[in-house]
Amino acid sequence: MAETKTEGQKLKEKLLTEKKNGWSELSDAQKKTVLKFSDGYIDFLNKAKIEREFVKEAQKLAEANGFKSLDKYKKLKAGDKVYYINRSKNIILAVIGKEKLEDGVNVVGAHMDSPRLDLKPNPLYEDGGFAYFKTQYYGGIKKYQWVTLPLAIHGVVALKNGKNVEVKIGEEDDDVTFVITDLLPHMARHQMEKKATEIIEGEALNLLIGSIPYDDDKISQKVKLNIMKLLNEKYGIVEEDFLSAELEIVPAMKAKSLGFDRSMVGGYGQDDKVCSYCSLKAITEIEDPERTAICLLVDKEEIGSIGNTGMESLAFETFLGELLALTGEDKTPNVLHRLYQHSKMLSADVDGAFDPIYASVADKRNASFFGFGVGMNKYTGSRGKSGASDANAEFVAEIRKLFDENKVRYQLAELGKVDEGGGGTIAYILANKGMDVIDCGTPVLSMHSPYEVASKFDIFMSYKAYKAFMK
Ligand code: MN
Ligand code: MN
């Protein structure tokens, strides 16, 4: 016999919010769908560890789903699918809507760059019988996390003849690997007393790449010469070509399902390739939207969104200008500003999830939890919301309604305790132009580390959220 509810129980259900773990609400079939979605994501993570690779994979997926390059269109009409690539490091995709562009577009924006080590312009040197590459770190890393783990080299060497030599070494099973060494504990008494920021100094992030000397007694720097000889044979480059190279050092580990229950994904670069992938996947499934749907994938977020491939650049505006011209809407004065003023955006970037091992830095009542859905931050910033665009309440209400109607599980959170945490995304840049923007992305553990963790439930909900928003 069913127990009857007390007045208090009924009132509690009506008035108070009870947060629930989303897994427990899924049927077995739904669970399968959620788990399966991450297979494609894991595969993508392993194919695209750097922004240039992500753009290439995104272009392939876009073309397979009927998107055509912007320069292929003489005119754009409702239902058309178009993409635009900026300098191999940004890709913007749009599905043209039935409504006019000046009445606003719906944008999901994410970044494809992730914290890593970059080669310095003069990287190659020899010391103590070893050859090394010198590096500079990119983005906010804990330097001590990047030693003694297998590393790979990805990127391009741009030659004076205008050609690019592509490099991707350290990923295949029969490839070699690279490493940055650390001091053995037996001799580390002094090192272990240092602060975490100094345990591994920036100038110690040197990649070990060889140890056989070139066989000629008449020359010095024999190991360096031998390595350069090998690189010349394999890539046709000389030492000077490093001056115009973009070579990125990334963890060589593969992304995988994590946990006995396979509920999570472990892998490098999930900030922010998880939201990049989910928004990309979502837009490839959008057909004939009311408002134009845009997926905006940018570079350089981790170092401040500056530069001609970062969100602060005019690349996005240039793209919008082209859309206005190709739909014939560019005749009205001030049309781009009106477009911005009427547009809406989900700034799709990861959120720091609650980690019980480090519970002391979180406000448990305002943290995002694994398995509770896509994480929204009304504001980011630090020390009293400084630097945050702070989404308008009306816009948050509109998104709540949209997500509830589309059965998207979401949670609203902030990054860490007051005066403890803080951070930023690309949200403020488009909010400054007049758009309504809220941060909305997958919560992750160990953010910015060589191996980040995300929940497959939240990944699936992020994808569902972006799709509902663009539809
Ligand atoms: Mn991010
Ligand atoms: Mn980041």
Side-chain angles (χ1 to χ4, degrees), residues 111 271-272 301-302 349-350 424-425 447-448:
H111 68 93
D271 175 9
D272 183 32
E301 193 275 343
E302 296 294 355
D349 205 345
V350 296
T425 63
M447 196 198 288
H448 285 201

Side-chain angles (χ1 to χ4, degrees), residues 22-67:
W23 286 109
S24 53
E25 289 172 1
L26 299 179
S27 68
D28 283 351
Q30 286 171 322
K31 231 176 241 170
K32 244 187 206 159
T33 310
V34 168
L35 292 172
K36 187 134 185 41
F37 180 79
S38 277
D39 292 352
Y41 168 53
I42 289 172
D43 188 46
F44 214 90
L45 274 184
N46 287 326
K47 280 196 231 152
K49 284 194 181 175
I50 65 169
E51 55 290 333
R52 285 175 188 265
E53 292 165 359
F54 201 101
V55 167
K56 265 194 192 155
E57 292 300 323
Q59 182 184 12
K60 269 193 232 166
L61 190 69
E63 285 179 352
N65 284 280
F67 285 75

Side-chain angles (χ1 to χ4, degrees), residues 18 53-54 56 73 110-111 142 186 227 246 268 275 282 304 346 353 371 377 391 395 414 458:
E18 199 173 352
E53 292 165 359
F54 201 101
K56 265 194 192 155
Y73 284 100
H111 68 93
K142 290 176 166 179
H186 319 65
I227 289 295
E246 280 179 1
Y268 162 74
C275 301
L346 298 181
N377 294 116
F395 183 54
E414 70 171 24
D458 306 331

Side-chain angles (χ1 to χ4, degrees), residues 83 143 199 355 426 443:
Y83 72 83
K143 294 190 282 290
I199 290 172
D355 185 338
I426 60 171

